[in-house]
DNA sequence: GCATATCTGGATAGTAAACATCCGGATATG
DNA sequence: CATATCCGGATGTTTACTATCCAGATATGC
């Protein structure tokens, strides 16, 4: 039970784009080269970010991806949900057959709330709130506090810092 | 990214043992039959619970499993950690090679704290705290509030309620 | 217009993790 | 001793994650 590496890829790519600063779209190949990632696979993650409204994509030559909004307006939750989907962390497997499979609840309310589900749901809500409370700008600021020279390594190509 | 079904199995099995009430050990086969689970696989989960100190196992004929402590003293976090292990939800894949692989930090403190890791760690901590704040007794109480007749379905064999 | 560069999205393949079964050995009952 | 059960390793199955590939669409620049 762990988050996929797509989250890490997305966070770093978004930070890279922010560090670049200018509004120029950056192609997948370049973004992937920075961290030696698979361009094709990274592209799939970026498409997810586009769908979620975190990135804008520019097709055609000189195209690529650019930030759709500033880092201040992107929370860690946005990134996680964009990449991993918004399925619940805990999903009941109906081992007690008490979920009344097939029965449609009146759109929004559950007739028989499951205590296990609600308990796990409360915990997930706390997780999501904590993620939502942290923006990518916060993460960037915290990162720069420890390694001020961390910017501009996209331009340099393959810098390790 | 989702919790395994072992969590659901464990929670229900622990509740079943509590509903049984008496300190008699219950064999895996019976616990599995209640929810039509695989006895062999459930046994593996139960062994995890034993290792975590949530269950006691009694070998030999008339053996089985019994609660090691009352439900009040077992939190949802205890169950999740026992079944899923205590690996972090987010694990860095070192895509920036900034983790200085192989470098041993002085036991407890990280020389170069990673902002991404700490952000995800904060969220996981919130999740764990919310899980730790809910005991199995709480879950049982909440379940009984909605379905008071839910107890004693172990004795009945295969009751659906 | 045409060659090029790039995103889009589906098909496919490889890899890892989760899920499940099986069996021999140990332990306790009666 | 025969039986019932836990224990844990070996093994197989299924699912999810990771990664590659390719045809189609879109934009640039000559
Ligand atoms: S009690 Fe809740 S978690 Fe368990 S099977 Fe029913 S709905 Fe699922
Ligand atoms: S910045 Fe943090 S998450 Fe990213 S590679 Fe380094 S240690 Fe891992």
């Amino acid at each position: 039970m762990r988050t996929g590496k797509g989250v890490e890829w997305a966070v770093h790519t978004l930070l890279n784009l922010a560090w670049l600063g200018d509004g120029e779209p950056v192609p997948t190949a370049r973004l992937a080269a920075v961290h030696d990632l698979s361009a094709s696979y990274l592209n799939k993650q970026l498409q997810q970010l586009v769908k979620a409204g975190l990135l804008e994509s520019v097709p055609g030559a000189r195209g690529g991806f650019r930030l759709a909004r500033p880092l201040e307006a992107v929370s860690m939750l946005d990134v996680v949900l964009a990449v991993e989907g918004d399925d619940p962390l805990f999903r009941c497997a109906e081992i007690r057959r008490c979920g009344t499979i097939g029965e449609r609840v009146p759109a929004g309310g559950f007739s028989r709330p499951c205590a296990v589900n609600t308990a796990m749901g409360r915990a997930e809500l706390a997780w999501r709130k904590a993620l939502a409370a942290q923006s990518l700008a916060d993460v960037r600021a915290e990162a720069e506090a420890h390694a001020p020279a961390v910017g501009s390594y996209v331009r340099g190509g393959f810098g390790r810092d």
Side-chain angles (χ1 to χ4, degrees), chain A:
Chain A
M1 194 243 185
R2 50 187 66 144
T3 58
K5 54 184 70 168
V7 174
E8 188 179 357
W9 294 19
V11 170
H12 281 92
T13 298
L14 290 168
L15 290 176
N16 288 345
L17 285 170
W19 276 323
L20 259 188
D22 48 12
E24 293 297 299
V26 183
T28 305
R30 197 137 83 92
L31 291 169
V34 176
H35 298 306
D36 274 314
L37 305 178
S38 151
S40 295
Y41 191 41
L42 175 63
N43 182 261
K44 291 222 177 302
Q45 317 280 7
L46 298 182
Q47 285 181 37
Q48 295 288 107
L49 296 180
V50 171
K51 274 190 212 165
L54 307 189
L55 285 183
E56 284 174 1
S57 66
V58 180
R62 271 191 72 76
F65 296 89
R66 78 164 70 101
L67 292 177
R69 27 181 168 127
L71 292 192
E72 286 78 10
V74 180
S75 72
M76 292 294 280
L77 180 63
D78 294 329
V79 179
V80 170
L81 291 187
V83 174
E84 302 258 328
D86 69 348
D87 299 318
L89 248 47
F90 174 81
R91 184 183 34 165
C92 165
E94 297 289 348
I95 69 174
R96 268 186 60 197
R97 318 269 192 310
C98 60
T100 59
I101 307 175
E103 169 190 323
R104 279 277 159 265
V105 289
F110 288 96
S111 51
R112 290 186 194 182
C114 162
V116 181
N117 262 324
T118 57
M120 297 299 288
R122 274 188 210 112
E124 177 166 4
L125 186 61
W127 183 63
R128 293 191 175 209
K129 279 185 179 175
L131 284 177
Q134 304 179 82
S135 75
L136 284 185
D138 298 332
V139 173
R140 175 180 54 181
E142 196 168 327
E144 288 175 349
H146 291 292
V150 80
S152 81
Y153 69 99
V154 172
R155 277 183 258 260
F158 298 87
R160 289 296 164 73
D161 209 16

